[in-house]
């Protein structure tokens, strides 16, 4: 079964909001074996909406629409759907009762504009929106299914999970699909691909590998479609083959994050950690503390950005800073060791670098970052040569530092 998603709203096209709905809907459909072939974003314009619907109808069995269902004049989705299906609006009493319930809960009364929101195309099956005033609409025309939903994410998600997905599963037979994701850090997708070329070339029918690179890491997704028992069995075999080839780069699987994997490891070994950050500005501490329960192993952090703070807070000798500079192996090593002593932790992470876009020199160009990790076994350092994008450098340096500590603890 093939699906397309159409998002309606000028606010998406001008960049005022980010279309997170499509990505989430795609995930939900994929989980029940429905493939999304195309995602289209269009303006609140009748001609554009009709053209997008006609194109989607020619390619897909299921068309999901979000947006344009509000009470204001710029929300024209319902009237345009009436034109597309050659029908008219009718008043839906259950939808209006739902709107009245929502307003009463807020201590208000529904008005004429709200009555308009309870009007739906005559050929649709209305689906109540318990979190908002715009009902969802289910259409079946020419062996195609159209579902028009509100654009507000939390309203749309509830409708999808509680109404649309169950209805799709009941009405259509879809193939079994299974995904497994391998999470890697410190290696590019080209090298990963070269290590598993023969495995990828000989995958069973219905299986494929997708490379999903992002700053500092690559996710490797193995997907299998087909009969459930066969897919489950082959998935284990192929997944193990891939993992065996690239094991040294793997930090986790599926929905895990590097910071959560490291947190589990610290808890398992009953170790604590602190950070001394310069160029990363507290981002490592942010990642560590984003994990629920991190208070059991994360003790604290110092952000020593200037020479003075490195000297006053971490007791880095002025002579060492003068001789080697703040961005140096010698300084970052002492930062890690001193913060570990200062905060009395088992482990520590320190960073110092040139995040950019300015401040680089011939010897230390923009993107030069020194990382130090100290554990009960000792201290290790690593020099990173990144790019010129400041935020990317901060992110990559931070996750690289976390992964160095993870490897040291293993």
């Amino acid at each position: 079964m093939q699906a397309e998603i159409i998002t309606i709203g000028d606010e998406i096209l001008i960049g005022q909001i980010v279309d997170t709905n499509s990505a989430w809907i795609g995930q939900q459909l994929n989980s029940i074996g429905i493939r999304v072939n195309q995602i289209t974003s269009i303006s609140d314009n009748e001609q554009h909406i009709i053209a997008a619907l006609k194109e989607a109808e020619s390619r897909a069995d299921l068309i999901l629409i979000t947006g344009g269902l509000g009470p204001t004049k710029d929300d024209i989705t319902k009237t345009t759907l009436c034109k597309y299906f050659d029908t008219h609006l009718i008043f839906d009493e259950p939808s209006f009762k739902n709107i009245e319930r929502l307003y009463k809960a807020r201590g208000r009364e529904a008005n004429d504009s709200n009555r308009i929101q309870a009007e739906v195309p005559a050929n649709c099956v209305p689906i109540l929106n318990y979190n908002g005033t715009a009902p969802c609409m289910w259409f079946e025309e020419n062996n195609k299914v159209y579902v028009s939903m509100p654009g507000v994410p939390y309203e749309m998600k509830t409708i999808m999970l509680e109404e649309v997905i169950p209805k799709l599963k009941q009405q259509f037979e879809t193939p079994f699909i299974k995904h497994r994701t391998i999470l890697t850090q410190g290696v590019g997708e080209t090298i990963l691909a070269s290590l598993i070329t023969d495995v990828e070339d000989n995958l069973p029918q219905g299986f494929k590998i997708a490379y999903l690179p992002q700053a500092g890491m690559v996710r490797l997704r193995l997907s299998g479609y087909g009969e459930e028992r066969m897919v489950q069995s082959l998935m284990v075999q192929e997944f193990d083959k891939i993992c065996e080839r690239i094991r040294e780069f793997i930090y986790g699987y599926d929905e895990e994050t590097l910071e959560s994997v490291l947190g589990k490891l610290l808890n398992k070994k009953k170790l604590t950690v602190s950070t001394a950050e310069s160029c990363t500005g507290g981002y490592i501490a942010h990642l560590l503390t984003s994990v629920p329960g991190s208070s059991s192993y994360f003790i604290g952090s110092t952000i020593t950005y200037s020479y003075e703070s490195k000297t006053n807070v971490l007791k880095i000798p002025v002579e060492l800073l003068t001789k080697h500079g703040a961005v140096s192996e010698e300084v970052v090593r002492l930062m890690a060791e001193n913060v570990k002593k200062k905060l009395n932790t088992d482990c520590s992470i320190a960073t110092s670098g040139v995040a950019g876009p300015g401040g680089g020199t011939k010897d230390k160009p923009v993107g030069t970052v020194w990382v130090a990790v100290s554990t009960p076994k000792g201290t290790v350092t690593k020099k990173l040569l990144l790019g010129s994008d400041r935020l990317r450098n901060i992110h990559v340096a931070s996750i690289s530092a976390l992964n160095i500590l993870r490897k040291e603890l293993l």
Side-chain angles (χ1 to χ4, degrees):
M1 187 176 186
Q2 311 298 318
E4 290 201 17
I5 300 169
I6 299 173
T7 60
I8 301 172
D10 292 336
E11 65 274 14
I12 296 172
L13 297 176
I14 65 174
Q16 194 173 27
I17 66 167
V18 176
D19 172 27
T20 57
N21 283 350
S22 295
W24 187 87
I25 292 171
Q27 290 174 348
Q28 304 310 309
L29 293 178
N30 194 267
S31 70
I32 61 170
I34 298 176
R35 299 192 188 195
V36 176
N37 286 342
Q38 184 162 321
I39 297 171
T40 305
S41 293
I42 55 175
S43 65
D44 294 287
N45 176 282
E46 183 181 281
Q47 290 182 331
H48 291 172
I49 295 171
I50 289 175
L53 288 169
K54 285 181 178 178
E55 289 180 17
E57 181 185 358
S58 69
R59 296 182 295 247
D61 310 296
L62 171 65
I63 297 100
L64 294 169
I65 309 155
T66 67
L69 297 180
T72 55
K73 291 182 179 180
D74 62 326
D75 293 307
I76 61 170
T77 299
K78 282 196 297 188
T79 55
T80 304
L81 286 169
C82 283
K83 189 168 186 177
Y84 185 75
F85 291 119
D86 191 22
T87 188
H88 59 282
L89 291 171
I90 61 172
F91 181 76
D92 183 59
E93 186 67 31
S95 293
F96 186 65
K97 292 293 185 185
N98 181 60
I99 294 170
E100 285 186 315
R101 176 190 62 80
L102 288 168
Y103 271 80
K104 187 176 181 180
R106 300 168 189 165
R108 297 163 59 190
E109 295 291 330
N111 56 33
D112 290 341
S113 293
N114 302 127
R115 290 189 66 86
I116 293 173
Q117 281 201 285
E119 294 178 352
V120 297
N123 65 329
C124 84
V125 176
I127 297 175
L128 297 184
N129 175 5
Y130 292 106
N131 292 326
T133 56
C136 170
M137 297 168 289
W138 178 288
F139 303 84
E140 293 186 27
E141 293 281 335
N142 302 320
N143 297 317
K144 310 282 183 180
V145 172
Y146 303 76
V147 185
S148 178
M149 298 177 288
V152 180
Y154 82 96
E155 295 181 23
M156 178 276 296
K157 288 179 180 180
T158 301
I159 291 170
M160 274 289 291
L161 292 175
E162 296 183 1
E163 301 288 344
V164 176
I165 293 294
K167 194 171 173 66
L168 289 172
K169 290 170 71 175
Q170 182 180 15
Q171 190 160 330
F172 301 101
E173 287 187 18
T174 57
F176 176 76
I177 178 172
K178 186 173 181 64
H179 301 292
R180 288 299 312 274
T181 304
I182 303 168
L183 311 171
T184 70
Q185 201 279 323
V187 62
E189 58 181 315
T190 304
I191 295 176
L192 284 177
S194 69
L195 293 172
I196 60 171
T197 298
D198 60 322
V199 178
E200 189 170 7
D201 289 342
N202 293 285
L203 285 172
Q205 185 175 359
F207 278 71
K208 68 176 183 178
I209 293 173
Y211 298 85
L212 309 169
Q214 57 189 95
M217 56 181 66
V218 179
R219 291 177 296 152
L220 207 61
R221 189 186 67 226
L222 177 64
S223 301
Y225 299 81
E227 192 274 323
E228 183 173 356
R229 289 181 63 185
M230 180 196 71
V231 170
Q232 295 280 26
S233 175
L234 291 174
M235 177 62 72
V236 174
Q237 297 176 31
E238 300 303 319
F239 190 78
D240 288 347
K241 285 180 191 176
I242 297 169
C243 290
E244 188 61 34
R245 296 290 183 86
I246 62 173
R247 195 165 300 283
E248 64 178 299
F249 304 112
I250 297 173
Y251 70 82
Y253 305 96
D254 300 319
E255 301 303 317
E256 291 181 309
T257 63
L258 187 47
E259 51 269 28
S260 67
V261 170
L262 177 58
K264 289 176 185 176
L265 192 55
L266 288 163
N267 266 333
K268 182 180 179 181
K269 293 180 175 288
K270 294 181 169 53
L271 298 173
T272 56
V273 66
S274 57
T275 67
E277 302 184 56
S278 183
C279 64
T280 49
Y283 190 65
I284 297 174
H286 160 70
L287 291 174
L288 288 168
T289 56
S290 69
V291 180
S294 55
S295 58
S296 64
Y297 52 82
F298 180 73
I299 304 304
S301 175
T302 65
I303 302 173
T304 50
Y305 214 64
S306 66
Y307 271 39
E308 291 77 13
S309 63
K310 289 179 175 66
T311 300
N312 295 334
V313 178
L314 291 179
K315 309 304 179 187
I316 307 299
V318 174
E319 300 77 23
L320 194 69
L321 288 164
T322 302
K323 181 178 180 181
H324 299 286
V327 183
S328 63
E329 181 179 18
E330 292 80 5
V331 168
V332 79
R333 177 187 291 272
L334 197 55
M335 286 172 65
E337 293 174 348
N338 286 2
V339 77
K340 189 168 73 167
K341 293 175 186 175
K342 183 180 181 68
L343 296 182
N344 192 29
T345 58
D346 303 300
C347 308
S348 64
I349 298 171
T351 58
S352 188
V354 187
T361 65
K362 183 179 180 180
D363 295 332
K364 299 173 184 178
V366 170
T368 303
V369 178
W370 274 100
V371 176
V373 164
S374 191
T375 70
K377 296 188 302 179
T379 304
V380 297
T381 59
K382 184 171 183 179
K383 183 180 183 181
L384 305 175
L385 297 174
L386 307 175
S388 58
D389 185 284
R390 183 179 184 84
L391 295 181
R392 186 181 186 280
N393 289 344
I394 291 170
H395 179 73
V396 174
S398 297
I399 61 173
S400 298
L402 293 177
N403 201 36
I404 293 169
L405 177 56
R406 182 190 68 85
K407 288 184 173 182
E408 286 300 303
L409 294 182
L410 290 174

